Amino acid sequence: MPGAEAFNSPGRPEGGGVGVLVSHGFTGSPQSLRPWAQHLADQGYAVRLPRLPGHGTTWQSLNRTQWQDWIAVLERELLRLLDECDTVFVAGLSLGGALVTRLAEEHGPSIAGLMLVNPAYRSDDPRMRALPVLRRLAPSIAGIASDIRLAGVTELAYDRTPLHALSSMLQLWALTVRDLPEITQPVLLMQSDEDHVVPASSSELLLSRISSTDVTHVRLADSYHVATLDHDAHVIHDRSVEFVERVRRG
């Protein structure tokens, strides 16, 4: 899909050897996070925003992948950043938030901090309970893209939600939630007051289970789920840079 390409920035000396791994969400693409990634790159940070397998092509392609495929791509980029940079942060939107949280659980202090926008660790959709049966009856259901308050802005994402891939995402959620107490790094959580995709209880779950003592919770009053393309994008940009600079300087 044109516009779904990955974003990579080599970083510059004024970035102080800071790397940031950024992950987009389920059925989405790097397009939804490109302005955020570009802003981080403008600070001189080395930024990696890969396109997850099965995304940015067709929803049928996504239905042939699973969460291990998605996180393998992110881990490859993370290891490159850890090799190139003095300090590395992870960032993500929605499912991307869950994926980078899983990486932080597994890599511990190698990751300096997490920056999360409306991260997804659970769903209140009653259809999730019927998913084991539903995915045998139909390959997909209606999509969840472009939950954006700002008029005229569209997320580059699928108009269908593939059910085999969705089932795999739920497996990732279970593992990630189980190991949330392993998170001790500083966390910047940026949460929309009105989100039609991920329930508020998802962020509440994160906050209730992590072991981090340095937690900043920013409310986004004028954005829906894809806040990185919404009215509060500038808040995400500014607070992220503030967080990175504060954490890396100790």
Side-chain angles (χ1 to χ4, degrees), residues 19-239:
V20 186
L21 173 66
V22 186
S23 177
H24 65 79
F26 187 60
T27 76
S29 72
Q31 176 260 358
S32 62
L33 294 175
R34 197 176 305 275
W36 188 16
Q38 183 63 63
H39 185 78
L40 294 169
D42 290 343
Q43 313 310 308
Y45 309 151
V47 180
R48 300 288 185 272
L49 169 56
R51 180 177 60 84
L52 302 179
H55 293 78
T57 54
T58 66
W59 67 262
Q60 292 91 342
S61 176
L62 177 55
N63 225 9
R64 294 189 290 270
T65 68
Q66 53 190 354
W67 74 264
Q68 291 92 340
D69 301 316
W70 313 331
I71 205 165
V73 169
L74 292 172
E75 186 157 39
R76 183 179 67 225
E77 297 299 333
L78 173 65
L79 293 176
R80 288 175 178 170
L81 286 172
L82 289 172
D83 185 57
E84 298 168 0
C85 303
D86 299 327
T87 309
V88 175
F89 294 80
V90 293
L93 165 69
S94 196
L95 165 66
L99 286 166
V100 300
T101 300
R102 186 65 184 158
L103 287 176
E105 292 169 349
E106 294 177 336
H107 289 268
S110 296
I111 293 175
L114 296 80
M115 299 182 288
L116 309 170
V117 178
N118 297 322
Y121 307 101
R122 66 180 309 277
S123 173
D124 287 342
D125 190 330
R127 292 176 296 180
M128 295 303 100
R129 293 192 292 272
L131 187 57
V133 174
L134 186 60
R135 73 188 183 98
R136 289 176 171 82
L137 300 176
S140 68
I141 57 176
I144 55 173
S146 291
D147 186 36
I148 301 171
R149 188 171 193 167
L150 182 60
V153 177
T154 303
E155 179 188 18
L156 184 60
Y158 299 144
D159 60 0
R160 304 294 297 176
T161 299
L163 295 185
H164 290 300
L166 180 63
S167 179
S168 183
M169 182 176 72
L170 267 59
Q171 296 171 14
L172 168 69
W173 284 355
L175 291 172
T176 304
V177 169
R178 182 196 68 187
D179 294 340
L180 280 175
E182 299 297 320
I183 297 295
T184 60
Q185 303 95 326
V187 173
L188 171 62
L189 171 62
M190 293 170 280
Q191 181 186 2
S192 297
D193 287 342
E194 189 172 355
D195 186 331
H196 305 105
V197 177
V198 173
S201 58
S202 184
S203 288
E204 293 167 3
L205 179 60
L206 171 76
L207 294 173
S208 69
R209 290 187 55 81
I210 59 176
S211 301
S212 306
T213 57
D214 182 347
V215 178
T216 303
H217 190 185
V218 177
R219 303 306 297 251
L220 306 173
D222 200 22
S223 297
Y224 295 158
H225 181 64
V226 191
T228 49
L229 295 178
D230 217 326
H231 290 285
D232 293 307
H234 69 284
V235 177
I236 295 170
H237 298 175
D238 293 345
R239 296 303 295 267

